[in-house]
Amino acid sequence: MAERMTKSFTTAAHVTVVEEVDVTELVLLREAFKGSAEKRGVKLTFLPLVIKAVVPALKEFPYVNSNLDDERAEIVLQKSYNMGIAMDTEQGLLVPVVKDVDRKDIFTIAGELERLAGRARAGQLSLDEVRGSTFTITNLGSIGGLFSTPIINYPEVAILGIHRISKRPLVRDGKIEIRDVMYASLSFDHRVFDGAYGARFMKSVIETIQEPRKLLAEIL
């Protein structure tokens, strides 16, 4: 992991875009599905919902879901949507992979996240469980921090950081309302795509998170 992080930081042209996200509807959506998740024996966190919100944006902006082959100087567009999830463990940072998230519902993803987290904590992850990611999400929400500038998980070209959710005043339709808000940050390799492309990708993710009807089409 140290070698990959060093190679990523010294090779990729890192740029980070930070956005404020109104997750009020996401909070309500999670509450609505928590009971169904418990009946299936899984705990529904916000992460499976964010994962499903990212999928349509990756399809719309395929260069975000790519690898850069430095030796051949080629960009390799990935046909799979395999989500690396950065996890903090006693052994240090580990990134197990939930594969084919575009073909799984939120309950299946939630169950796989629980299983992988347990194996990561026990130091039992197999090589197959940490290989093949095409995009990575790092979630610092439970720990703290307003936002971060995460390092890309080489050889991927982008990583999404999601952070603490807190109630803050937002202006909506000319009125101040108390909403559930978090910051999201996208670090990407500027050699593969530019800031405008990255900003449009983030806009797509945020629109899906903030519009429940769009998210409902993805989560089930």
Side-chain angles (χ1 to χ4, degrees), residues 8-66:
S8 176
F9 191 73
T10 57
T11 303
H14 276 72
V15 176
T16 302
V17 174
V18 180
E19 294 282 3
E20 184 179 65
V21 189
D22 182 348
V23 294
T24 305
E25 300 301 329
L26 189 72
V27 171
L28 294 175
L29 198 63
R30 175 177 174 258
E31 286 297 319
F33 283 100
K34 278 175 64 176
S36 297
E38 290 174 0
K39 290 178 181 178
R40 290 169 169 80
V42 296
K43 179 180 179 182
L44 181 61
T45 66
F46 290 105
L47 188 53
L49 298 172
V50 173
I51 288 172
K52 295 302 288 186
V54 167
V55 170
L58 291 176
K59 292 180 178 179
E60 184 180 0
F61 299 93
Y63 283 98
V64 183
N65 194 57
S66 70

Side-chain angles (χ1 to χ4, degrees), residues 15-17 19 54-67 75-78 81 135 157-158 160 186-206:
V15 176
T16 302
V17 174
E19 294 282 3
V54 167
V55 170
L58 291 176
K59 292 180 178 179
E60 184 180 0
F61 299 93
Y63 283 98
V64 183
N65 194 57
S66 70
N67 293 156
I75 298 171
V76 183
L77 300 181
Q78 300 296 322
Y81 299 90
F135 184 80
V157 300
L160 178 70
L186 178 75
S187 291
F188 60 91
D189 191 341
H190 208 294
R191 299 176 302 167
V192 178
F193 56 86
D194 59 25
Y197 193 91
R200 291 189 185 102
F201 168 80
M202 284 290 278
K203 181 181 179 183
S204 178
V205 173
I206 292 169

Side-chain angles (χ1 to χ4, degrees), residues 1 26 29 70 105 129 147 151 165 197 200 205:
M1 179 60 70
L26 189 72
L29 198 63
D70 288 297
D105 60 36
E129 291 171 326
F147 68 89
I151 297 175
I165 296 174
Y197 193 91
R200 291 189 185 102
V205 173

Side-chain angles (χ1 to χ4, degrees), residues 34 37 41-42 50 65 69 78 84 89 106 141 150 153 158 177-178 218:
K34 278 175 64 176
V42 296
V50 173
N65 194 57
D69 187 330
Q78 300 296 322
T89 73
I106 56 169
N153 183 23
E177 298 182 12
I178 303 300
E218 290 294 329

Side-chain angles (χ1 to χ4, degrees), residues 98-110:
V98 182
K99 295 182 172 65
D100 300 316
V101 293
D102 57 317
R103 294 187 286 180
K104 295 173 179 174
D105 60 36
I106 56 169
F107 308 114
T108 301
I109 293 173

Side-chain angles (χ1 to χ4, degrees), residues 88-102:
D88 177 43
T89 73
E90 291 184 358
Q91 292 79 34
L93 177 65
L94 297 174
V95 187
V97 182
V98 182
K99 295 182 172 65
D100 300 316
V101 293
D102 57 317

Side-chain angles (χ1 to χ4, degrees), residues 113-150:
L113 287 172
E114 284 188 26
R115 181 183 64 81
L116 289 170
R119 288 178 60 80
R121 287 191 296 268
Q124 297 175 344
L125 289 171
S126 67
L127 286 177
D128 183 63
E129 291 171 326
V130 295
R131 285 178 174 172
S133 60
T134 61
F135 184 80
T136 293
I137 296 177
T138 178
N139 178 15
L140 298 175
S142 62
I143 301 174
L146 189 62
F147 68 89
S148 64
T149 56

